[in-house]
Amino acid sequence: AAAVVTRDFLPKDVSMIMWSLGSLAEECYELGDKLVSLVDATARCWLGTTSTDQKRRPLREWGTMDLIQLAHAMSHGRIDHPLLLESLFTEVLHKINDKEQHLSDKTFRTYELTVLMWAKARLYLTGKTNPIYDVFDDRVCAILLQRIRASSSSLREQELANLAWSLTVLQPYKRESSVATNLTKEIFRLSALAAQKGKGLVSQHAHQLWQAYTVLSHDCPEAVHVPQEFCNLLEERWANEKARAKVSSARHRAISETLDLMGVAHYNEHDEDIDVAIVLKENSSWTHDSVKGSISHNNRVAVEFDGPLHFTRQHLPWFEDITAATSTTTQSSPPRPLGHTILKYWILKLKNWNVVRIPYYEFDKIPFWAGMERQRYLQRQLKTHPSIQFSSIDVSEYKAQVPNRQSRYD
């Protein structure tokens, strides 16, 4: 795929292959590399044109379903290709405007707009990344709200949950316009109404709604006026999910074992879905001064080990030529956290946890046999000790984490 430079094929063919690989990549991690290759080749083919019109709208010949499948594939595959994503959502806006100006007879169905919103939230594409994403959110929120109020479209439980979750991650309700807030209010009203009518609420949808409710009840309480019985149902489903048996990853166990060596008392797989929970004594300034006991006070640290599935995929070395031609992201740039990871941080902070991230791309640089280096790393990340004495001549003094998070292995 990386060698393709002509367009002797249809966008429909490419989007269907991408959709297939994106769907399978969630179950087969190795397929993700193939999807990255296909995305890079597609970007080089469609964005590398010299036509002025094509530069303005390089995906103009892509149909509505083609764009949906492309967004689906890139979000499920966790692929962050800035130029291709910008072109994708810009083209969607053009097609929406073309329909309103009667320049096209095709429009996006309601469920297709919810897929696009979910894809943006999954990849955490906000106005901070590119202003076009805020424009997209505002436009789609207005369309969806208009359709719901006109009863011209009905949203299924999955679409309601996906929208609630997406709006919470993307936070359009924080802007001056009340459209996103009113849309969120309608989504929760319809979700609560469906539950009252006895429609079964799938656990996954209940979890999405509970996460959204937790954040919105703090950030935008006017959007979540729902019956208490509905809140209790969501909370019960969430509690059942978090009470399930959990299996720690090898990296997680390595961090726990290192903390044991350092004398830092901690909990593994805490009830609130925290990887490593550390409870400090009152007025403690170093995390080695921790206890195992009550966790009710606010002096608590949540250590979150974030593996590859918490981040966008990085471009692979053998695609460097394509990356240089079509992307502003360099190999040295760290991957971005995904929407569900960002949302988890927010929820933990709302529950008075101090969140410390341990990303895999930092921890994995330390050789597995370098136990002292792992202790130095955790000393810096968690402020465990003023100094650690490994021998009479080897002492690790605490140094605060540098802003770029680089270490001796970078």
Side-chain angles (χ1 to χ4, degrees):
V4 177
V5 293
T6 61
R7 277 195 234 161
D8 297 330
F9 43 82
L10 298 173
K12 180 179 180 180
D13 300 329
V14 177
S15 65
M16 289 185 66
I17 295 173
M18 282 191 179
W19 179 87
S20 301
L21 284 177
S23 300
L24 293 172
E26 285 198 310
E27 302 297 331
C28 182
Y29 184 82
E30 291 75 12
L31 280 178
D33 294 345
K34 308 301 182 184
L35 182 58
V36 170
S37 174
L38 181 58
V39 167
D40 281 336
T42 300
R44 185 175 186 178
C45 184
W46 260 273
L47 306 186
T49 178
T50 58
S51 166
T52 302
D53 184 60
Q54 285 296 319
K55 281 185 177 180
R56 188 173 65 87
R57 293 181 63 176
L59 301 181
R60 186 170 192 162
E61 60 190 274
W62 288 56
T64 55
M65 185 52 66
D66 302 332
L67 296 171
I68 296 295
Q69 290 178 323
L70 175 59
H72 174 279
M74 295 184 72
S75 59
H76 280 271
R78 302 178 290 108
I79 299 176
D80 184 21
H81 196 298
L83 291 181
L84 187 56
L85 287 167
E86 177 186 355
S87 299
L88 190 162
F89 286 99
T90 299
E91 183 57 34
V92 172
L93 286 173
H94 276 298
K95 282 181 165 45
I96 290 174
N97 293 333
D98 287 347
K99 172 61 178 177
E100 292 180 341
Q101 298 170 19
H102 306 290
L103 300 177
S104 171
D105 59 351
K106 294 183 179 179
T107 187
F108 288 90
R109 298 181 177 89
T110 298
Y111 84 88
E112 293 174 335
L113 293 176
T114 64
V115 170
L116 289 169
M117 289 292 287
W118 180 87
K120 278 185 76 270
R122 160 85 167 166
L123 293 172
Y124 196 54
L125 300 174
T126 68
K128 294 180 180 179
T129 305
N130 190 314
I132 192 65
Y133 296 133
D134 281 350
V135 175
F136 179 89
D137 291 345
D138 293 341
R139 191 72 193 88
V140 171
C141 284
I143 293 172
L144 292 175
L145 181 61
Q146 181 183 23
R147 291 181 181 179
I148 290 175
R149 287 179 169 175
S151 299
S152 60
S153 64
S154 59
L155 291 169
R156 296 173 298 176
E157 286 75 12
Q158 179 180 358
E159 293 160 359
L160 290 169
N162 283 345
L163 268 179
W165 184 88
S166 301
L167 292 171
T168 305
V169 172
L170 298 172
Q171 297 184 313
Y173 55 84
K174 287 194 171 183
R175 294 195 282 278
E176 293 182 3
S177 173
S178 61
V179 172
T181 299
N182 290 331
L183 174 61
T184 307
K185 187 185 301 183
E186 288 293 328
I187 290 169
F188 271 89
R189 181 185 67 83
L190 293 172
S191 298
L193 184 61
Q196 287 178 345
K197 290 181 177 179
K199 294 184 179 180
L201 186 61
V202 177
S203 293
Q204 181 183 355
H205 304 159
H207 302 157
Q208 289 177 299
L209 289 168
W210 175 249
Q211 287 180 306
Y213 178 83
T214 301
V215 174
L216 292 171
S217 59
H218 178 271
D219 289 354
C220 190
E222 62 270 27
V224 287
H225 285 307
V226 291
Q228 187 60 45
E229 294 79 7
F230 183 61
C231 298
N232 294 340
L233 173 62
L234 298 181
E235 185 175 16
E236 179 185 354
R237 293 290 188 88
W238 181 258
N240 291 339
E241 166 67 13
K242 296 310 159 188
R244 76 192 191 285
K246 304 178 182 69
V247 179
S248 299
S249 66
R251 295 182 180 102
H252 179 171
R253 293 195 298 271
I255 291 173
S256 178
E257 292 167 1
T258 304
L259 289 174
D260 284 336
L261 287 174
M262 301 171 74
V264 178
H266 60 280
Y267 299 87
N268 283 312
E269 305 293 358
H270 187 264
D271 290 343
E272 295 188 44
D273 210 21
I274 297 170
D275 293 339
V276 176
I278 301 175
V279 182
L280 305 184
K281 297 178 181 178
E282 293 289 347
N283 302 317
S284 297
S285 57
W286 300 94
T287 52
H288 77 277
D289 198 12
S290 55
V291 294
K292 279 198 170 184
S294 173
I295 59 172
S296 59
H297 62 78
N298 295 334
N299 207 7
R300 309 179 298 178
V301 179
V303 183
E304 287 293 301
F305 179 81
D306 294 332
L309 297 181
H310 289 266
F311 297 93
T312 55
R313 273 187 177 271
Q314 289 181 292
H315 288 283
L316 302 179
W318 47 88
F319 305 137
E320 187 172 2
D321 59 329
I322 299 176
T323 302
T326 61
S327 176
T328 57
T329 303
T330 63
Q331 300 257 345
S332 59
S333 299
R336 295 188 304 104
L338 298 175
H340 72 274
T341 302
I342 296 291
L343 185 58
K344 183 178 181 181
Y345 296 160
W346 292 344
I347 292 174
L348 289 177
K349 289 176 182 177
L350 287 175
K351 294 184 177 181
N352 295 317
W353 287 91
N354 298 299
V355 180
V356 177
R357 297 171 45 236
I358 305 293
Y360 77 97
Y361 54 83
E362 290 180 359
F363 191 76
D364 287 0
K365 292 176 183 176
I366 306 173
F368 72 91
W369 41 262
M372 289 188 295
E373 290 302 325
R374 286 183 172 179
Q375 291 187 51
R376 286 190 175 97
Y377 175 78
L378 293 180
Q379 179 192 24
R380 171 173 286 190
Q381 300 297 322
L382 301 176
K383 196 181 177 184
T384 59
H385 305 76
S387 64
I388 302 176
Q389 187 162 351
F390 298 113
S391 69
S392 59
I393 59 173
D394 190 354
V395 179
S396 176
E397 300 290 344
Y398 171 75
K399 294 181 180 178
Q401 177 65 270
V402 295
N404 62 11
R405 298 182 67 95
Q406 288 190 343
S407 68
R408 67 178 70 190
Y409 292 101
D410 291 299

